[in-house]
Amino acid sequence: MKKITKDHISNTIVNIVIIVMAFGMLYPVLWLISASFKVPNTIFRDAGLIPEAFTLQNYTNGWKGIGIVGFDTFFRNSFIISLFCIIANLVFCSLTAYAFARLEFSGRKIWFGIMMLTLMLPGHVTTIPRYILFRSFGWLDSILPIVVPKFFATDAFFIFLLVQFIRSLPRELDEAALIDGCGKFGIYGKIILPMTVPALITTLLFTFLWTWDDFFNQLLYLNSPQKYTVPMGLRLFLDASGVSSWGSMFAMSVLSLVPCFILFVSLQKYFVRGIATTGIKG
Amino acid sequence: MERSLSKKFRNNVTSYAFLIPWLLGFFVLTVYPMVYSLYLSFTEYNILQPPKWVGLRNYFVMFGGNKLYQGDERFLNSLFVTLKFVFISVPLKLVFALVIAMVMNRKLKLMPLYRALYYIPTLLGGSVAIAVLWRRLFAGDGIFNLILKNIFSVSNPPSWISDPRYALSTLIILAVWQFGSPMIIFLAGLQQIPKEYYEASAVDGAGKTWQLFSITLPCLSPIIMFNFIMQMISAFQSFTQAFVVSGGSGGPLDSTMFYSLYLYIKGFGFSEMGYASAMAWVLLIVIAALTALSFRFSGRLVSYGSGE
C-alpha cells in the first residue's frame, strides 16, 4: 500500500515535469498562433498567449496574398505537388522495396548496397547537373523537376523503410499465394501491399511533410508567382513586408502548418511505429 | 540443369522488371549527374557558354589558392560555420533526444499524448513558417528578449539575429528543438532492452547511474551511432533555416553562411556552376570521411549484442 502511494507521487511529479517542459517547448508555436489573432500593432509588445483584442483581420489580409496572386493559389500549387509526390512514392518505392525484400535475383545484394549508399549521398552533388538536365528539357518554372524524379523511386529513405517492414512480414503467406498460382505481381498487389499499410502510411505522411516544407527545390525551379507554393509565398511575404504585415505573415504561417498538423494527429499511431521500425534494425 | 537455368533466368527477368523504375532513376538522376558534376567541377561554367576546362583551379581557389589564384575566404568560412553548426547541434540534439526518450519510457496514462506533443517541433520545424517565426522571436525587440528582460531581468540582451556572435546559436537552438526523430528511435531502442538486465543488476545492488552506464548506454550504442550518422548527414545539408533567418544572405557578416547556402549562392546567384559542383564534391568527401571515421571509431565503442 505504501509503495503504491510512493509510485503515485513520483508519477505525478513526472507528469508535471513533462507538461511544464512541453509547454516551454511549444511556447513559440502557441505564441505564433496567438499572434495571428492579435491586432498588428500589439503583436510585439505582448509576449502573452491571450490576445488583448481578438481579430481575424490578419487572416483576411493575408489570404489576399501579394499583388495579383492570392494565398489560395500557393496552397493549391502546394497540394498538387504533394499529391503527385505521394502517389509516386507510394507506388514506386513499394515496388522497389518489394523486389529488394522478397525476390531472389542475381546482383540483389550489390544493388541493395548501392541503394543504401544513395541514402547517404548529399543531394548537392546531383543538384546542378539535374538543373541543367531539366533546363534542357524546358522544364524550368514547372512542377515537373520536383515531381518526376519521384516516379523513379529516388527517395531511398522510403525504399529502406519499406524493405525493413516487408522483411518483418511472414513469408508463409507469399508461399501460399504462390501455390495458389499467384504471380510475383499478384503477391505484391494482393499480399504484400495490404500488409504494408502502416509503413505506407508513414511514407505518405513523410512525403507530404517533406514536399510541403521543401523550400530548396521550389526556390530553384519555380520562378513565376503564379506557380509559387506555400513556402515560396511566405518568403515572398517576408521580403515584401513592412512591420505592418507581420500579422498577415503570421496568420498565413499558421495556415501553412495546419495540414501537417491535421495529418499528423490523424495518423500519429502509424507515424511513431514507422520511424521506430527504421531505427531498430538500422 | 537446362530447365533450372532457364527458370533462374526468368526469375531474374521478372525481378529486374520490378526494379526498372528505380534503376532508370538511379542511372539518369544519380549516376549521370554525379559523373557530370565531377566533370563540371574541373571547369568554369556559367550555363550560357559551354564549360571551359580549368583543371584543379576551383579546388585550389577553395583551399587558399596558390601564387596564381586568390583563395576564397568565404568558402573556408562557410565550411567552418557548417562544421561548428554540425558539431554543436548534433550532440546536443542527441543528448536531448536520449534524456527525453528515457522520461518517455515510463508507463504513464497520458504517454501517447506526450510523445505527440514532443514531436510537434520536429513536425513543424522544417517549414519556412517556423523559420520566419524564429527570425521574429530572436530579433532585438523580439519575444525572446522580452522574456529575458521581464522575467529574468536581463537588462541588455543582445539582438541575436543581427549580432554575428550570436546569430549561429539561434540556428543551433532551432535545430536542437527538433529532436523528435532521434527521440522516437531511442525510445524504440529503450523498449527493446530486456527488463531482466535491470532486475538482475538491481539484485546485485546497482544504482541508477551504474545501470545507465553499464546497461542502457551499451545496449543503445548501435542506435546512438545510427542517429549520430543520420543527423550529421542531414545537418551538413541544412539550408532553409539559414536562408530564411538571414534573409538569403547568410549574414550578419557571413556568420550563418551555411555550406549549402554558399553553394546555392555561387551556383545559382553568381552562375558559377563549375565552382559550385566542386563544392558539392568537397561536401561529399567531407561527409563520407566523417561517416567512415565514425564507423571506425565506433568499432571500439559500439556493442552489437552479446552474440551468445
Side-chain angles (χ1 to χ4, degrees):
Chain A
M1 192 66 203
K2 210 173 178 183
K3 192 160 182 299
I4 294 167
T5 333
K6 204 178 149 196
D7 274 0
H8 200 76
I9 293 170
S10 90
N11 275 349
T12 314
I13 294 171
V14 172
N15 271 310
I16 292 170
V17 171
I18 290 177
I19 291 170
V20 170
M21 276 185 50
F23 179 78
M25 264 178 33
L26 294 179
Y27 174 81
V29 180
L30 298 173
W31 183 83
L32 173 71
I33 296 169
S34 130
S36 71
F37 294 109
K38 286 175 185 166
V39 181
N41 61 13
T42 67
I43 289 178
F44 298 116
R45 273 191 277 121
D46 184 3
L49 293 180
I50 296 157
E52 290 163 30
F54 182 90
T55 174
L56 284 173
Q57 197 63 45
N58 296 324
Y59 283 87
T60 50
N61 283 346
W63 192 248
K64 285 187 208 130
I66 288 161
I68 40 162
V69 189
F71 243 88
D72 52 336
T73 307
F74 303 147
F75 270 96
R76 194 175 337 109
N77 293 339
S78 271
F79 273 116
I80 291 171
I81 292 181
S82 305
L83 188 69
F84 277 116
C85 290
I86 287 172
I87 294 170
N89 266 352
L90 286 181
V91 174
F92 292 100
C93 291
S94 67
L95 210 60
T96 313
Y98 169 70
F100 278 131
R102 278 295 203 258
L103 303 181
E104 298 293 335
F105 54 94
S106 328
R108 187 177 63 111
K109 279 202 172 131
I110 297 166
W111 286 119
F112 186 71
I114 289 173
M115 193 277 293
M116 290 302 290
L117 275 181
T118 64
L119 188 65
M120 293 190 181
L121 185 76
H124 301 79
V125 182
T126 56
T127 299
I128 286 168
R130 278 191 194 182
Y131 180 86
I132 296 166
L133 189 71
F134 295 145
R135 185 174 177 270
S136 71
F137 293 169
W139 286 4
L140 296 192
D141 204 23
S142 80
I143 67 171
L144 294 173
I146 301 167
V147 167
V148 170
K150 311 281 178 199
F151 284 84
F152 295 93
T154 39
D155 281 343
F157 176 80
F158 298 121
I159 302 178
F160 172 54
L161 180 119
L162 292 165
V163 166
Q164 295 285 36
F165 197 89
I166 294 172
R167 274 186 185 156
S168 72
L169 301 173
R171 264 176 190 272
E172 287 77 26
L173 283 171
D174 304 29
E175 279 151 19
L178 197 66
I179 291 164
D180 291 349
C182 220
K184 299 231 163 77
F185 199 79
I187 295 176
Y188 160 76
K190 287 189 196 136
I191 312 283
I192 299 290
L193 272 190
M195 288 198 296
T196 316
V197 165
L200 290 173
I201 289 178
T202 312
T203 304
L204 183 157
L205 196 49
F206 270 117
T207 305
F208 177 78
L209 289 175
W210 291 348
T211 315
W212 187 261
D213 284 343
D214 176 33
F215 179 63
F216 186 74
N217 286 304
Q218 297 167 6
L219 181 70
L220 220 53
Y221 291 113
L222 306 175
N223 308 119
S224 49
Q226 287 80 5
K227 307 247 166 76
Y228 276 8
T229 51
V230 171
M232 294 291 285
L234 286 178
R235 194 229 155 187
L236 201 67
F237 240 144
L238 187 66
D239 288 352
S241 65
V243 184
S244 56
S245 51
W246 275 102
S248 324
M249 168 104 224
F250 286 151
M252 291 306 104
S253 296
V254 171
L255 282 190
S256 80
L257 301 176
V258 168
C260 306
F261 195 75
I262 291 177
L263 212 57
F264 173 67
V265 170
S266 47
L267 303 176
Q268 195 232 331
K269 230 176 22 184
Y270 303 99
F271 191 58
V272 170
R273 217 194 310 165
I275 317 178
T277 335
T278 8
I280 312 167
K281 298 159 197 160
Chain B
M1 186 65 197
E2 189 93 322
R3 263 182 78 175
S4 78
L5 204 73
S6 82
K7 197 185 162 206
K8 198 179 169 196
F9 179 75
R10 260 189 297 143
N11 237 337
N12 277 343
V13 171
T14 28
S15 303
Y16 276 98
F18 274 89
L19 280 183
I20 283 174
W22 177 75
L23 280 169
L24 268 176
F26 175 68
F27 283 108
V28 178
L29 295 168
T30 304
V31 177
Y32 160 73
M34 278 182 80
V35 174
Y36 193 49
S37 133
L38 187 62
Y39 160 70
L40 283 182
S41 79
F42 300 112
T43 68
E44 199 180 280
Y45 183 42
N46 63 6
I47 219 169
L48 300 173
Q49 278 113 14
K52 198 177 101 204
W53 186 265
V54 294
L56 286 171
R57 191 177 80 187
N58 291 327
Y59 294 92
F60 281 139
V61 170
M62 273 186 251
F63 292 100
N66 58 18
K67 281 175 206 141
L68 288 171
Y69 320 113
Q70 231 193 335
D72 182 358
E73 276 171 30
R74 291 188 87 191
F75 164 80
L76 287 178
N77 171 68
S78 76
L79 184 60
F80 180 67
V81 166
T82 308
L83 285 170
K84 208 159 115 184
F85 172 75
V86 170
F87 287 108
I88 299 175
S89 74
V90 173
L92 273 180
K93 192 190 224 177
L94 292 189
V95 168
F96 234 89
L98 183 58
V99 169
I100 291 175
M102 289 202 258
V103 177
M104 294 282 146
N105 198 25
R106 289 177 79 111
K107 291 227 172 346
L108 295 178
K109 252 189 222 151
L110 289 172
M111 215 33 113
L113 174 71
Y114 293 155
R115 284 174 196 160
L117 285 181
Y118 278 70
Y119 196 81
I120 287 176
T122 312
L123 179 74
L124 308 176
S127 63
V128 166
I130 294 295
V132 167
L133 170 69
W134 226 249
R135 185 162 145 166
R136 269 317 310 185
L137 282 182
F138 285 93
D141 58 348
I143 300 311
F144 189 69
N145 277 351
L146 206 62
I147 292 170
L148 282 184
K149 276 184 199 157
N150 295 345
I151 300 178
F152 298 97
S153 339
V154 179
S155 56
N156 228 341
S159 44
W160 302 86
I161 296 290
S162 50
D163 188 330
R165 282 172 302 170
Y166 301 109
L168 184 61
S169 51
T170 62
L171 292 175
I172 292 174
I173 295 172
L174 178 52
V176 174
W177 189 56
Q178 301 164 49
F179 58 84
S181 320
M183 172 191 79
I184 288 172
I185 295 172
F186 277 138
L187 189 59
L190 286 171
Q191 287 170 353
Q192 299 248 310
I193 302 176
K195 296 245 168 7
E196 295 81 47
Y197 289 9
Y198 293 102
E199 283 157 12
S201 76
V203 172
D204 293 344
K208 289 263 183 247
T209 324
W210 178 255
Q211 286 184 335
L212 174 68
F213 285 100
S214 65
I215 300 172
T216 312
L217 290 180
C219 288
L220 277 185
S221 55
I223 293 168
I224 296 176
M225 172 75 183
F226 172 85
N227 272 337
F228 177 76
I229 290 177
M230 294 317 278
Q231 292 298 327
M232 182 182 75
I233 292 173
S234 71
F236 264 110
Q237 300 179 62
S238 304
F239 176 83
T240 307
Q241 278 69 13
F243 185 95
V244 175
V245 171
S246 73
S249 71
L253 292 175
D254 280 355
S255 60
T256 60
M257 182 60 91
F258 281 8
Y259 200 91
S260 307
L261 185 50
Y262 191 54
L263 193 151
Y264 169 78
I265 290 174
K266 275 293 198 187
F268 298 94
F270 299 138
S271 287
E272 294 181 30
M273 298 251 165
Y275 191 84
S277 301
M279 279 188 70
W281 274 90
V282 170
L283 181 70
L284 175 68
I285 291 163
V286 169
I287 290 180
L290 285 172
T291 308
L293 208 70
S294 359
F295 271 118
R296 190 113 190 247
F297 179 66
S298 71
R300 269 172 274 153
L301 290 178
V302 174
S303 58
Y304 291 93
S306 57
E308 307 264 322

